[in-house]
Amino acid sequence: MSQSTVQEKSWRVEREFGLIVGGVLLLLSSWWIYRGKFHSISQVTLPIGALLLILGIIFPRALVYPNKAWMALAEVLSFISTRIILAFVYFVVITPIGVVKRFFGWDPLHRRAAASESYWRPYSERQRDPKHYEKMF
Protein backbone atom coordinates (compact mmCIF):
# COMPACT_ATOMS: atom_id res chain seq x y z
CA MET A 1 0.00 0.00 0.00
CA SER A 2 1.43 3.34 -0.98
CA GLN A 3 1.91 6.27 1.38
CA SER A 4 -0.81 8.35 -0.31
CA THR A 5 -3.36 5.55 0.16
CA VAL A 6 -2.60 5.38 3.89
CA GLN A 7 -2.94 9.16 4.19
CA GLU A 8 -6.22 9.16 2.23
CA LYS A 9 -7.67 6.53 4.55
CA SER A 10 -6.53 8.52 7.57
CA TRP A 11 -8.07 11.69 6.20
CA ARG A 12 -11.28 9.85 5.38
CA VAL A 13 -11.73 9.14 9.09
CA GLU A 14 -11.22 12.80 9.92
CA ARG A 15 -13.56 13.85 7.11
CA GLU A 16 -16.27 11.53 8.43
CA PHE A 17 -15.71 12.88 11.94
CA GLY A 18 -16.06 16.48 10.76
CA LEU A 19 -19.14 15.80 8.66
CA ILE A 20 -20.97 13.66 11.19
CA VAL A 21 -20.18 15.55 14.40
CA GLY A 22 -20.39 18.94 12.72
CA GLY A 23 -23.68 18.02 11.05
CA VAL A 24 -25.20 16.79 14.30
CA LEU A 25 -24.07 19.91 16.15
CA LEU A 26 -25.51 22.11 13.41
CA LEU A 27 -28.82 20.25 13.45
CA LEU A 28 -29.07 20.39 17.24
CA SER A 29 -28.17 24.07 17.33
CA SER A 30 -30.68 24.87 14.59
CA TRP A 31 -33.40 22.97 16.41
CA TRP A 32 -32.62 24.72 19.68
CA ILE A 33 -32.68 28.13 18.00
CA TYR A 34 -35.94 27.28 16.25
CA ARG A 35 -37.53 26.12 19.51
CA GLY A 36 -36.09 29.03 21.47
CA LYS A 37 -34.28 26.86 24.00
CA PHE A 38 -30.70 26.55 25.22
CA HIS A 39 -29.61 29.94 23.84
CA SER A 40 -26.19 29.94 25.50
CA ILE A 41 -25.39 26.39 24.40
CA SER A 42 -26.59 26.90 20.83
CA GLN A 43 -24.36 29.98 20.51
CA VAL A 44 -21.36 27.72 21.16
CA THR A 45 -22.41 24.57 19.28
CA LEU A 46 -23.49 26.36 16.10
CA PRO A 47 -20.06 27.82 15.24
CA ILE A 48 -18.26 24.64 16.34
CA GLY A 49 -20.55 22.51 14.16
CA ALA A 50 -20.11 24.84 11.19
CA LEU A 51 -16.34 24.86 11.62
CA LEU A 52 -16.17 21.06 11.84
CA LEU A 53 -18.38 20.70 8.79
CA ILE A 54 -16.34 23.17 6.72
CA LEU A 55 -13.01 21.64 7.79
CA GLY A 56 -14.37 18.15 7.08
CA ILE A 57 -15.22 19.18 3.53
CA ILE A 58 -12.22 21.40 2.72
CA PHE A 59 -9.29 20.44 4.97
CA PRO A 60 -9.84 17.17 6.91
CA ARG A 61 -6.18 16.98 7.99
CA ALA A 62 -6.89 19.78 10.46
CA LEU A 63 -9.28 17.47 12.35
CA VAL A 64 -6.69 14.91 13.48
CA TYR A 65 -6.36 16.27 17.02
CA PRO A 66 -10.06 17.08 17.54
CA ASN A 67 -10.86 13.53 16.40
CA LYS A 68 -8.31 12.08 18.86
CA ALA A 69 -9.77 14.20 21.66
CA TRP A 70 -13.29 13.09 20.74
CA MET A 71 -12.22 9.42 20.81
CA ALA A 72 -10.50 9.91 24.17
CA LEU A 73 -13.70 11.39 25.56
CA ALA A 74 -15.64 8.44 24.14
CA GLU A 75 -13.29 5.98 25.85
CA VAL A 76 -13.66 7.73 29.21
CA LEU A 77 -17.46 7.80 28.92
CA SER A 78 -17.47 4.16 27.86
CA PHE A 79 -15.31 3.18 30.84
CA ILE A 80 -17.60 4.97 33.28
CA SER A 81 -20.96 3.99 31.78
CA THR A 82 -20.00 0.32 31.46
CA ARG A 83 -19.23 0.11 35.17
CA ILE A 84 -22.48 1.87 36.06
CA ILE A 85 -24.58 -0.38 33.83
CA LEU A 86 -22.88 -3.58 35.04
CA ALA A 87 -23.23 -2.55 38.68
CA PHE A 88 -26.91 -1.75 38.11
CA VAL A 89 -27.55 -5.12 36.47
CA TYR A 90 -25.69 -6.97 39.22
CA PHE A 91 -27.27 -5.24 42.21
CA VAL A 92 -30.78 -4.66 40.81
CA VAL A 93 -31.28 -7.84 38.76
CA ILE A 94 -28.92 -10.68 39.70
CA THR A 95 -28.61 -10.15 43.46
CA PRO A 96 -32.39 -10.07 44.14
CA ILE A 97 -32.85 -13.24 42.07
CA GLY A 98 -30.16 -14.99 44.14
CA VAL A 99 -31.65 -13.78 47.41
CA VAL A 100 -35.13 -15.02 46.45
CA LYS A 101 -33.79 -18.40 45.32
CA ARG A 102 -31.85 -18.85 48.55
CA PHE A 103 -34.88 -17.83 50.58
CA PHE A 104 -36.86 -20.63 48.94
CA GLY A 105 -34.07 -23.16 49.56
CA TRP A 106 -32.54 -23.47 46.10
CA ASP A 107 -29.26 -25.40 46.43
CA PRO A 108 -28.13 -26.74 43.03
CA LEU A 109 -24.76 -27.97 44.36
CA HIS A 110 -26.39 -29.79 47.29
CA ARG A 111 -24.03 -28.16 49.75
CA ARG A 112 -26.51 -28.59 52.58
CA ALA A 113 -26.95 -32.33 52.00
CA ALA A 114 -27.07 -34.60 55.01
CA ALA A 115 -23.85 -36.41 55.91
CA SER A 116 -23.58 -39.77 54.23
CA GLU A 117 -21.03 -42.41 53.25
CA SER A 118 -21.35 -41.56 49.56
CA TYR A 119 -22.59 -38.46 47.81
CA TRP A 120 -23.10 -40.32 44.53
CA ARG A 121 -26.34 -39.48 42.75
CA PRO A 122 -27.70 -41.85 40.14
CA TYR A 123 -27.85 -40.67 36.54
CA SER A 124 -31.14 -39.54 35.17
CA GLU A 125 -32.91 -41.76 32.64
CA ARG A 126 -31.90 -39.42 29.83
CA GLN A 127 -28.19 -39.71 30.67
CA ARG A 128 -28.33 -43.51 30.76
CA ASP A 129 -29.41 -43.62 27.12
CA PRO A 130 -26.33 -43.81 24.79
CA LYS A 131 -28.23 -41.92 22.06
CA HIS A 132 -28.11 -38.87 24.32
CA TYR A 133 -24.38 -38.48 23.64
CA GLU A 134 -24.61 -38.72 19.85
CA LYS A 135 -26.40 -35.43 19.22
CA MET A 136 -26.02 -33.41 22.37
CA PHE A 137 -27.23 -30.13 20.91
Side-chain angles (χ1 to χ4, degrees), residues 40-89:
S40 58
I41 295 174
S42 63
Q43 290 176 356
V44 174
T45 56
L46 186 66
I48 291 175
L51 180 66
L52 286 174
L53 197 64
I54 291 168
L55 286 175
I57 293 170
I58 297 172
F59 190 59
R61 282 188 278 180
L63 297 175
V64 171
Y65 292 116
N67 189 13
K68 286 183 181 181
W70 185 260
M71 289 297 124
L73 175 66
E75 283 187 35
V76 169
L77 291 176
S78 150
F79 181 83
I80 294 169
S81 65
T82 302
R83 269 76 180 162
I84 292 171
I85 291 169
L86 288 176
F88 177 80
V89 168

Side-chain angles (χ1 to χ4, degrees), residues 5-22:
T5 310
V6 173
Q7 287 178 346
E8 286 175 15
K9 286 185 180 180
S10 172
W11 297 335
R12 184 176 61 205
V13 172
E14 276 71 33
R15 177 174 287 121
E16 289 174 357
F17 164 73
L19 295 177
I20 292 171
V21 176

